[in-house]
Amino acid sequence: MKPVTINGLEKRYSDGTFAVRGIDLTIGEGEFVTLLGPSGCGKTTTLRCLAGLEAPTAGSISFGDQVVVDPAHNIFVPPEKRDISMVFQNYALWPHMTVFANVAYPLKMAKVRKSEIKERVAASLALVNLRERAQQPASQLSGGQQQRVALARAMVGRPSLIFFDEPLSNLDAKLRHTMQEQIRAAHESLGSTTVYVTHDQQEALALSDRIVVMDQGKILQIGTSEELYRQPNSHFVADFLGYQNIMDATVVGVDADSYTVQLNDSDLKITLQGKTGKKAGDSVTVAFRSAHLRFDTMPDEQFTPIDGLITHATYRGRDLLLLLEAQGKTLRATLDEDEMVRVDRSQLTAGSTITLKLLADRVVALPDPDPDDDTAITYESEDM
């Protein structure tokens, strides 16, 4: 298993457009790292440079002690000599071949002994629960089964590195969840260093040791799932990772372990926990998730009561999404099943008023934007 080191990686096309610009990243041996971002952010180009399917314009990539690409020194190790496997979105199976033959193919090309091929293919298929399908043509499998065959094929060579390029995009929600479990289990079983590309926030949070959020060819934030979920470092990252309420405000009071802000163009005041270097009158951007507006809190939790008029209510089975007008601001709240049963449902319809409690320790004050940052765009995220 090998660590990955990326220094100053750049990919520029002939028209001058940057796909990747100045990426520095170190991925630890045996780590599962996800490149996360919207379409066109540079994540797939970065992965293709790692795999040797794209030649970067500048920078270097090393796998362990081996430099695999460095344009400045005319170094480029071809993909077949990088000790990697790759799982694609479109499975890339040979439909006329059996499941066994598809998984065995890289071992056959490596001239592994037949007895060992049989052993290793059986072990890989067992990991993805497809051992009984070994002699079935790949074309007769469902989409989910074909993706599991692709995963088994990636593992069978016991590579130092496995790369995944949006592997679950073509699957339905239930299959995606099942495949996430199998991909993570396979990673832990094999111990390979894994780099995974997706635009799906939930997928990244569920799978990764660390997540690299990208946009416009740059890295915006790196952290564990919990770090990114609780402490986004910019408006873009907060928006992309599901903070449905992001608003400009002004500090109106500072205490020893909390401070109060007033939302701009509103009389609504919100208390945040924690120390801040700001003083009364300073501007700040605050963010919180729709799920952090609740009916009830624990006895020791600090909160801000918010009265609002429900303008829209959407029942989604697992929860109820509310749009509230609260003192001139539109807020989003999500009530789960447990909370829904604590109140008369007739009070959760458009035109009703409601009082919710905003948890003070879940409200995030976003850092001031970098004036030299040209990635200040927003992304419409899904509710999380």
Side-chain angles (χ1 to χ4, degrees):
M1 308 313 118
K2 295 177 181 177
V4 175
T5 305
I6 302 172
N7 288 316
L9 187 69
E10 249 181 40
K11 176 64 179 181
R12 179 188 278 186
Y13 295 111
S14 56
D15 63 358
T17 303
F18 276 100
V20 177
R21 40 184 175 173
I23 284 181
D24 295 310
L25 177 65
T26 299
I27 299 170
E29 185 176 344
E31 191 176 18
F32 193 120
V33 167
T34 295
L35 307 181
L36 172 67
S39 298
C41 73
K43 58 187 185 296
T44 294
T45 301
T46 300
L47 189 75
R48 289 175 63 83
C49 288
L50 288 171
L53 304 177
E54 292 264 7
T57 311
S60 66
I61 298 171
S62 298
F63 297 164
D65 295 330
Q66 180 190 20
V67 178
V68 295
V69 63
D70 184 350
H73 295 90
N74 294 318
I75 297 173
F76 184 86
V77 177
E80 65 273 15
K81 295 187 177 180
R82 294 194 183 193
D83 189 21
I84 63 169
S85 285
M86 192 157 179
V87 181
F88 297 93
Q89 180 179 342
N90 63 357
Y91 319 140
L93 301 181
W94 287 276
H96 64 285
M97 292 168 59
T98 65
V99 168
F100 182 95
N102 267 282
V103 177
Y105 187 80
L107 299 181
K108 185 178 178 182
M109 291 298 97
K111 303 189 184 307
V112 175
R113 286 180 293 109
K114 287 185 178 180
S115 59
E116 187 177 348
I117 288 176
K118 187 174 180 181
E119 252 177 52
R120 286 166 66 172
V121 170
S124 288
L125 289 176
L127 275 174
V128 297
N129 300 317
L130 283 178
R131 194 167 182 174
E132 73 284 357
R133 304 271 188 176
Q135 299 309 316
Q136 190 169 345
S139 59
Q140 294 181 9
L141 302 182
S142 68
Q145 290 170 333
Q146 289 186 39
Q147 193 58 287
R148 283 151 61 192
V149 174
L151 176 59
R153 184 179 59 191
M155 296 187 301
V156 76
R158 299 169 188 165
S160 298
L161 296 138
I162 298 183
F163 300 145
F164 292 87
D165 186 12
E166 301 269 12
L168 309 184
S169 296
N170 294 333
L171 305 181
D172 62 39
K174 184 177 180 180
L175 276 175
R176 282 201 304 271
H177 180 73
T178 301
M179 281 301 302
Q180 286 171 23
E181 293 176 342
Q182 292 196 322
I183 287 171
R184 185 67 208 194
H187 167 78
E188 291 174 356
S189 172
L190 196 60
S192 295
T193 305
T194 299
V195 184
Y196 191 98
V197 161
T198 184
H199 64 274
D200 187 302
Q201 305 96 323
Q202 291 281 24
E203 196 168 291
L205 291 168
L207 285 170
S208 314
D209 296 322
R210 285 190 302 152
I211 299 170
V212 179
V213 182
M214 296 181 63
D215 189 48
Q216 297 189 14
K218 299 166 79 173
I219 292 175
L220 302 187
Q221 187 171 359
I222 303 173
T224 65
S225 295
E226 185 171 357
E227 286 168 348
L228 267 64
Y229 190 87
R230 292 186 177 276
Q231 288 294 328
N233 69 356
S234 66
H235 187 292
F236 179 92
V237 175
D239 193 22
F240 191 75
L241 288 174
Y243 279 75
Q244 297 87 354
N245 301 289
I246 305 176
M247 291 158 288
D248 293 329
T250 302
V251 178
V252 294
V254 179
D255 293 323
D257 56 359
S258 66
Y259 55 106
T260 302
V261 302
Q262 182 171 327
L263 302 185
N264 293 353
D265 303 317
S266 169
D267 293 329
L268 189 58
K269 295 179 181 178
I270 294 176
T271 298
L272 297 82
Q273 287 190 340
K275 296 181 179 180
T276 176
K278 295 186 180 295
K279 60 185 182 302
D282 285 349
S283 297
V284 63
T285 299
V286 297
F288 56 92
R289 297 177 182 276
S290 60
H292 296 154
L293 278 165
R294 301 180 179 174
F295 277 122
D296 299 316
T297 57
M298 298 297 288
D300 59 343
E301 286 185 308
Q302 301 297 312
F303 63 86
T304 298
I306 294 181
D307 299 320
L309 173 71
I310 300 175
T311 59
H312 194 75
T314 303
Y315 179 69
R316 304 188 297 183
R318 66 186 183 191
D319 56 31
L320 183 71
L321 177 63
L322 302 176
L323 290 184
L324 304 176
E325 286 296 328
Q327 299 184 49
K329 288 294 181 183
T330 299
L331 305 179
R332 290 168 173 80
T334 303
L335 307 182
D336 63 24
E337 291 179 290
D338 290 338
E339 290 182 292
M340 280 190 274
V341 300
R342 296 175 196 158
V343 66
D344 183 349
R345 282 291 301 277
S346 65
Q347 297 177 23
L348 299 177
T349 56
S352 301
T353 57
I354 189 173
T355 300
L356 296 175
K357 299 174 179 178
L358 175 60
L359 301 180
D361 66 342
R362 301 301 177 88
V363 183
V364 175
L366 299 176
D368 293 330
D370 181 349
D372 297 323
D373 184 12
D374 56 2
T375 60
I377 64 172
T378 59
Y379 177 86
E380 284 297 324
S381 59
E382 297 180 357
D383 292 317
M384 295 176 62

